[in-house]
Amino acid sequence: MIYKDRVVLYFIEEVDDFLDEKKIEKPSGPIPCMENTFTEAEQMGLFGKYNLDAFKLHLQGRYDGFSAISYKGSKRKISGLAHHKNSTVIYV
């Protein structure tokens, strides 16, 4: 696999405020990734319809606890997450 693209993961951290806790999004550094498309069976299984804008990102290593990503200049929410051996697959 060729990991030539870069993605930034946004982790949510709770910080004590004066009166209550406040949630802050902290971005990670650029992480190498590879973009791939869904098969027709994966699209129907995950989304229930065919979506040409959907794609998946493969990352080396195991990442947990993030809520959004920044990929190719736009911030996106994730649709799903899977771990396979020592890699993370993000469904966008």
Side-chain angles (χ1 to χ4, degrees):
M1 292 185 160
I2 301 172
Y3 296 93
K4 63 179 180 164
D5 296 329
R6 300 291 182 260
V7 65
V8 175
L9 306 177
Y10 289 95
F11 295 93
I12 293 181
E13 184 177 307
E14 292 184 0
V15 178
D16 289 334
D17 198 12
F18 181 69
L19 297 174
D20 200 10
E21 292 183 351
K22 187 166 78 171
K23 294 183 179 179
I24 298 174
E25 278 190 344
K26 291 207 170 195
S28 69
I31 299 171
C33 68
M34 181 189 80
E35 181 181 350
N36 203 350
T37 59
F38 284 108
T39 63
E40 293 177 1
E42 285 177 328
Q43 284 190 10
M44 289 304 288
L46 289 171
F47 304 113
K49 61 181 180 175
Y50 295 111
N51 187 0
L52 296 176
D53 295 332
F55 59 92
K56 56 186 173 181
L57 294 174
H58 295 267
L59 283 71
Q60 289 179 329
R62 191 171 180 95
Y63 297 96
D64 284 321
F66 58 94
S67 62
I69 63 167
S70 178
Y71 182 67
K72 291 188 178 178
S74 62
K75 191 171 179 182
R76 303 169 184 257
K77 291 192 176 191
I78 60 171
S79 299
L81 181 69
H83 297 287
H84 186 283
K85 295 184 181 176
N86 193 25
S87 66
T88 303
V89 180
I90 303 171
Y91 303 121
V92 182

